[in-house]
Amino acid sequence: MATRKCKVCKIEFEKQQPLQFVCSPKCGIEYTKIQNAKKAEKERLQNQRLQRAKKRELETIPELTRKAQAAFNRFIRLRDRFKPCISCSKPNNGTSNTFDAGHYRSVGSAAHLRFDENNVHGQCKKCNQYLSGNAVAYRAGLINRIGLAAVEALEANHTPRKWSKDELRNLAALYRQKCRELE
Ligand SMILES: [Zn+2]
Ligand SMILES: [Zn+2]
């Protein structure tokens, strides 16, 4: 007679039936419990995966755009945290939350440049929020920082740009990663 190890108590027993995994009815009850728990856990994980996929599918382009923009803007604030305000030259204090990420060409009028690193720079809140971006001074500061050719390229860029859901997810992930590298 073949022997095998009981799946529950690990004792060697003599196998009576081909599909016998346990030594006794007592271990049999325990074995069923373990199997049921495993099954329940598997179902739970499967449900969780389904929920996540559903949630992902329901995410809208505006939501994903907001998330990508938040990550991108945070990256700009971190990148420029030691640089003065792009328009009024007010010094920054080396933290990422005193200045804004100010768009040279605004998201409202040039949405295709919303994720362009040349188009967005650390800017004091006064210039960004109360002086409507302080555009004339921004241009002078921008020429200083990236050069006239790059500024003119920005100004001449009228190519519409749309991002798919996955592109927006990738942008958000990319800029979160870039932020981690700077922190
Ligand atoms: Zn047993
Ligand atoms: Zn300023």
Side-chain angles (χ1 to χ4, degrees):
M1 224 355 146
T3 63
R4 77 170 3 156
K5 238 183 202 169
C6 171
K7 291 258 191 198
V8 176
C9 70
K10 313 293 180 206
I11 279 171
E12 295 260 343
F13 68 97
E14 244 175 47
K15 202 166 81 167
Q16 313 286 336
Q17 289 158 18
L19 287 174
Q20 191 181 349
F21 301 114
V22 291
C23 67
S24 63
K26 185 169 164 277
C27 280
I29 290 168
E30 196 53 37
Y31 184 65
T32 307
K33 265 193 215 160
I34 292 167
Q35 292 303 99
N36 284 344
K38 271 188 193 160
K39 209 175 130 199
E41 176 64 6
K42 207 174 147 190
E43 274 168 21
R44 194 185 65 79
L45 287 174
Q46 209 163 13
N47 259 329
Q48 203 176 55
R49 268 196 298 277
L50 269 173
Q51 293 294 329
R52 283 206 190 119
K54 223 186 208 170
K55 208 176 144 192
R56 207 175 143 86
E57 207 159 300
L58 288 175
E59 279 181 316
T60 63
I61 295 267
E63 276 166 9
L64 291 165
T65 303
R66 254 194 315 279
K67 284 182 188 171
Q69 192 76 64
F72 175 85
N73 288 2
R74 209 164 83 72
F75 161 74
I76 296 293
R77 295 198 306 271
L78 275 165
R79 182 196 68 186
D80 292 353
R81 65 194 185 281
F82 299 113
K83 292 180 186 155
C85 170
I86 187 81
S87 1
C88 74
S89 294
K90 179 184 164 178
N92 198 347
N93 65 0
T95 65
S96 62
N97 49 21
T98 45
F99 275 23
D100 289 340
H103 284 69
Y104 174 54
R105 292 182 66 194
S106 72
V107 173
S109 65
H112 58 296
L113 298 176
R114 68 190 307 153
F115 302 122
D116 188 314
E117 291 182 19
N118 270 347
N119 187 47
V120 192
H121 296 268
Q123 191 175 38
C124 79
K125 289 187 193 293
K126 187 179 161 204
C127 284
N128 188 43
Q129 296 174 25
Y130 303 105
L131 302 175
S132 311
N134 201 354
V136 174
Y138 198 138
R139 188 172 196 274
L142 195 54
I143 291 170
N144 261 335
R145 207 167 288 179
I146 67 174
L148 181 61
V151 174
E152 284 177 343
L154 274 181
E155 289 167 343
N157 186 343
H158 299 291
T159 314
R161 180 82 171 82
K162 294 261 181 253
W163 289 270
S164 70
K165 287 185 178 186
D166 277 337
E167 283 173 328
L168 290 167
R169 287 188 185 106
N170 290 342
L171 271 174
L174 170 73
Y175 281 102
R176 279 186 206 122
Q177 176 58 35
K178 284 186 169 208
C179 285
R180 274 195 293 276
E181 282 162 15
L182 287 177
E183 274 168 336

